[in-house]
Structures are given as C-alpha cells and as structure tokens.
Amino acid sequence: MLVTAYLAFVVLLASCLGLELSRCRAKPSGRACSNPSFLRFQLDFYQVYFLALAADWLQAPYLYKLYQHYHFLEGQIAILYVCGLASTVLFGLVASSLVDWLGRKKSCVLFSLTYSLCCLTKLSQDYFVLLVGRALGGLSTALLFSAFEAWYIHEHVERHDFPAEWIPATFARAAFWNHVLAVVAGVAAEAVACWMGLGPVAPFVAAIPFLALAGALALHNWGENYGRQRAFSKTCAGGLRCLLSDRRVLLLGTIQALFESVIFIFVFLWTPVLDPHGAPLGIIFSSFMAASLLGSSLYRIATSKRYHLQPMHLVSLAVLIVVFSLFMLTFSTSPGQESPVESFIAFLLIELACGLYFPSMGFLRRKVIPETEQAGVLNWFRVPLHLLACLGLLVLHDSDRKTGTRNMFSICSAIMVMALLAVVGLFTVVRHDAELRVPSPTGEPYAPEL
C-alpha cells in the first residue's frame, strides 16, 4: 500500500503538471493579467485567502486518525463528524447575513480566531471539548466560504472599479491554486505527523500560525465593507419559490444533495478503509487532491474549442464514475476479503469525478438560478445534503465496523443511482435549452443538442 500510494501520487502529479503546462502555453494573456493595479489588489487578496485555505487543508488528512489516536470508537467518531456537519449547515444558513451585518473584513478575522480555537481543541482528549471544536469548525467553514469571496467582489467592483468581467479570472486562478495548496498540505501533514514523528495532532498545531498570519494581514491590509442586509426569512422564502417554480432548479438541487452527501460520507470513510493497511495518510490525501485537480484540468479541456463538450455531459459522466467506484468499493471492502489497492483506485476515481462535477455544477447553477435568489436556493440545497450525510454517519454509528462500512458503500451506491435518475430527468428537461450550453467557439447561434 505504501509503494502504491507514492507511485499514484507521482503519476497523478506528473499528469496534472503536463496538462497545466500545455494549457499555459496555449492560453493568451488578457488585459487583466497585465494591469499592475489589478495584480496588486489580487495579490493582497490571495495572500490572506491562500493562507486560510492552506490552514484548512493541513487539518484534513489526520482528523479521523487523531480521534482514533485518542482511542475513540468509530461510532463516537461518527458523532463528532455529525456535529461538524450539523454546525456547518446551521451556520451556513445565516453566514451571509452575519457577514453582511458584521463586516466582511471583521468576518475574515473572526474566521482566523475561531479556526485557531478549533485547532487548539484538538490538543484535548476530552470528548466534549472535541465536540465544541467541531462546532467551531462548522462556523469557520461557513465564514471561509462566504466572507472572503464577498469581501473581494465588493472591493473589486465598488472600491477599485475594475471590470466585473475580471472577477471570474481571479476565482479561476484561486480554484487552481486551492488544489495545489491541498496537494502540498497533504505532503506537509505527512511530514510533520510521520516523517518528523510528531503524531496526528501536529498538522492542527501547524495550521495555527497560518491562521494567525491570515488574520493579521487582513486586519492590516484590507479595508472594511458591508453588504445590503436582507431578512433571512425573505431570503429563504424567495429561494423556496424559485426552487418550486422551476423544475430545472429542483432537479439540480436533487443532484447536488445526493451527490455531495455521498462525498461527505466518503470523506469520513476513506481513513478507516485504508489506514489499517499502512497507508501514508498525508500522501493518500495529496493523491486525492491531485486526482481532483486532474479532473478540473480535464473539464477545461473537454469544454474547450477543440472538444466543446457541455457541462451537462460532464455532470452525467461524473455521476457515472462515482456509481462505478462505489460498486467497486462494495466488493473491495467485503469483510475478510479486503483489497486496499482496489479501494484506493476507487477513491481516486471519486476524486477525479469531483474535479469534473464541481465546475460543471457551478456553471449550471449560475445559468439556472437567478443571481438575486442564489443565496436562498443554496440554503435549501444544503439542508437535504447535510441531512443525508448525517443520517449516513448515524447508520454507521449503530453498525459493526467492517460490515457497516461495506453496507454504507452499498447505500451510497443506491443514492448515486437516484442521482443518476435525476441527471437523466434534468437532461430531458434542458435538452433544447441553449442557455445551459457553453457558448459555441465559432459564435454560431445554433449548437448541437445536449
């Protein structure tokens, strides 16, 4: 397993590097890329945002291992994960309103404080303290994925008056470097936890300086801005109306809830499946992130002028890959006949599918959901998503470890088959919808049917 993990990591990293180098050579530089003021502003944002992301990724490979190191049972660990998910969905519902009221800069500083406290709780072996840490982690995650983006967009448009067309370039670059940071963070976590022999708590301690520096830079370099507050009830009511009035939105939400709930369960299960076989968890995690980066690169190639595939095609492909991978896992995790290498390959395929799925789903959401209702609709998407993930983890809590893991992969397979049916339904509805196509590179008004 050790050799397989390192070999897979090297091959995936080389594949990603080759695809990105070829893309960079082929991509012409735009006006935004050569504007000094824009580049300075972008750098100010990236310095803080990338430190925050690096701190977040550092903690990912060894979270389950840490709880195991403290001798908690799998059922107890499942409850800790459920607490984190429940916290994420509760704070996620009010995060946008909280950030607009408190101020985006203050919210980013608050993120660095709460996430630092979350990391410090990992030094304790007290179960209640760890539960509090998971709740703080949920708040921090909600702030990470709302405050930073909101601050940047306001500064970009309102304070600096840069063209709105440049915003996607910033976040596209951030998405790429987010993957790179995740790959590097996995290796760094492996280094401090295993190579230096500091144990599974070391990555959490190592994340604190990154968080402190991110908070200090935001406090020193960023200006404050606020959003227009909208009543939470109005946001949710508007989102619900949009969800129920447009079948495309409803089917899109169904696919997101089913697909992403399975991914949450996968995040919980990969460590207990691979760790007993001597897998280097940091390198395994980096391999996962490299596979996801490879999927994102393939998305860009597939939707390019040469191939011109549509995001709807790629969502369908991603769901099919995950269905196939989960069927693989139901056999490779069979009690007494475990095959860690097959399980690892299946996990890599799931991550590859995520690399295809998330940019495709992001494109479809932007086209289908009106911008004014996106916050409300996404709130309704999150509720069933996290509810399904929590129910799955609670089922594991009441199951025997070995048979429970295999049974959970079987349940996830059934969930993904339902997601596939929802994809077919959406495919039927939007088949003639030109709005959901990537614009034709030739500028022709007619594009082939989906």
Side-chain angles (χ1 to χ4, degrees):
M1 191 65 225
L2 188 71
V3 175
T4 303
Y6 278 94
L7 182 62
F9 176 59
V10 170
V11 170
L12 287 165
L13 207 56
S15 302
C16 293
L17 189 60
L19 286 174
E20 289 302 321
L21 286 174
S22 63
R23 184 178 71 90
C24 288
R25 282 197 298 267
K27 184 180 179 183
S29 60
R31 186 162 59 98
C33 298
S34 59
N35 184 302
S37 299
F38 177 70
L39 290 175
R40 280 195 299 272
F41 168 61
Q42 224 180 28
L43 182 61
D44 284 342
F45 172 67
Y46 284 153
Q47 283 177 339
V48 177
Y49 189 47
F50 287 166
L51 284 168
L53 291 173
D56 185 44
W57 287 123
L58 261 175
Q59 303 169 56
Y62 278 89
L63 181 60
Y64 188 100
K65 181 70 174 179
L66 177 69
Y67 295 144
Q68 209 172 43
H69 180 70
Y70 289 158
H71 306 293
F72 292 116
L73 301 174
E74 186 173 32
Q76 294 174 303
I77 298 173
I79 294 298
L80 286 167
Y81 272 77
V82 167
C83 179
L85 286 172
S87 172
T88 299
V89 71
L90 288 174
F91 287 117
L93 291 172
V94 298
S96 295
S97 301
L98 173 65
V99 165
D100 289 342
W101 171 77
L102 183 63
R104 279 73 176 263
K105 171 183 168 179
K106 293 189 191 75
S107 298
C108 293
V109 174
L110 177 63
F111 157 82
S112 68
L113 291 172
T114 56
Y115 220 6
S116 296
L117 288 172
C118 172
C119 292
L120 287 172
T121 62
K122 301 300 189 294
L123 295 169
S124 172
Q125 298 187 32
D126 184 89
Y127 194 72
F128 177 74
V129 172
L130 293 172
L131 283 171
V132 171
R134 292 297 288 166
L136 287 170
L139 171 60
S140 305
T141 300
L143 291 173
L144 175 62
F145 294 108
S146 57
F148 288 86
E149 183 176 334
W151 179 89
Y152 176 84
I153 292 172
H154 185 279
E155 294 290 307
H156 181 108
V157 176
E158 301 295 335
R159 191 183 299 270
H160 293 278
D161 197 28
F162 293 128
E165 294 78 18
W166 293 1
I167 293 175
T170 296
F171 288 113
R173 185 174 294 178
F176 170 75
W177 285 107
N178 183 31
H179 277 102
V180 174
L181 285 169
V183 172
V184 174
V187 177
E190 185 70 17
V192 296
C194 292
W195 300 345
M196 296 171 65
L198 299 178
V201 76
F204 298 92
V205 177
I208 296 174
F210 289 93
L211 292 165
L213 185 56
L217 286 173
L219 200 61
H220 184 264
N221 296 338
W222 287 11
E224 184 60 277
N225 63 60
Y226 299 85
R228 294 177 182 175
Q229 294 183 44
R230 185 184 180 190
F232 178 69
S233 58
K234 288 184 178 179
T235 300
C236 288
L240 184 60
R241 279 195 302 272
C242 180
L243 191 66
L244 296 177
S245 63
D246 190 336
R247 194 180 170 197
R248 299 176 306 166
V249 177
L250 186 60
L251 286 168
L252 207 62
T254 302
I255 295 165
Q256 179 174 331
L258 295 172
F259 187 98
E260 295 181 26
S261 63
V262 168
I263 300 305
F264 274 116
I265 294 169
F266 151 71
V267 167
F268 176 82
L269 286 174
W270 74 265
T271 303
V273 169
L274 298 178
D275 187 44
H277 303 280
L281 298 180
I283 300 302
I284 293 286
F285 179 80
S286 291
S287 299
F288 290 164
M289 295 299 101
S292 181
L293 176 57
L294 182 61
S296 296
S297 299
L298 291 173
Y299 168 83
R300 285 192 292 270
I301 292 170
T303 55
S304 66
K305 292 181 180 181
R306 182 174 180 180
Y307 298 101
H308 203 55
L309 291 177
Q310 301 302 328
M312 193 65 233
H313 296 140
L314 299 177
V315 167
S316 307
L317 178 60
V319 172
L320 280 170
I321 291 171
V322 175
V323 170
F324 173 75
S325 302
L326 290 168
F327 278 122
M328 277 182 66
L329 286 163
T330 58
F331 293 102
S332 64
T333 57
S334 181
Q337 299 177 350
E338 293 92 348
S339 177
V341 173
E342 287 182 20
S343 296
F344 180 45
I345 292 170
F347 289 148
L348 289 175
L349 287 172
I350 290 173
E351 286 291 351
L352 179 72
C354 287
L356 292 169
Y357 166 86
F358 284 107
S360 303
M361 183 59 75
F363 175 88
L364 293 172
R365 275 201 305 261
R366 286 193 302 272
K367 294 294 184 180
V368 168
I369 306 171
E371 189 175 351
T372 54
E373 303 297 347
Q374 283 207 10
V377 171
L378 290 177
N379 281 342
W380 287 105
F381 282 7
R382 288 188 192 105
V383 172
L385 189 164
H386 288 86
L387 183 62
L388 280 170
C390 289
L391 287 173
L393 293 176
L394 289 172
V395 168
L396 268 177
H397 172 257
D398 292 326
S399 304
D400 174 68
R401 196 185 83 80
K402 290 187 176 180
T403 57
T405 299
R406 189 193 183 205
N407 291 340
M408 181 48 59
F409 284 127
S410 300
I411 293 170
C412 287
S413 299
I415 291 173
M416 286 309 299
V417 169
M418 288 190 284
L420 188 58
L421 293 174
V423 167
V424 172
L426 182 61
F427 205 91
T428 304
V429 172
V430 305
R431 189 174 179 182
H432 301 284
D433 195 339
E435 185 185 8
L436 300 187
R437 300 187 185 111
V438 175
S440 173
T442 59
E444 295 168 358
Y446 174 79
E449 285 186 355
L450 292 173

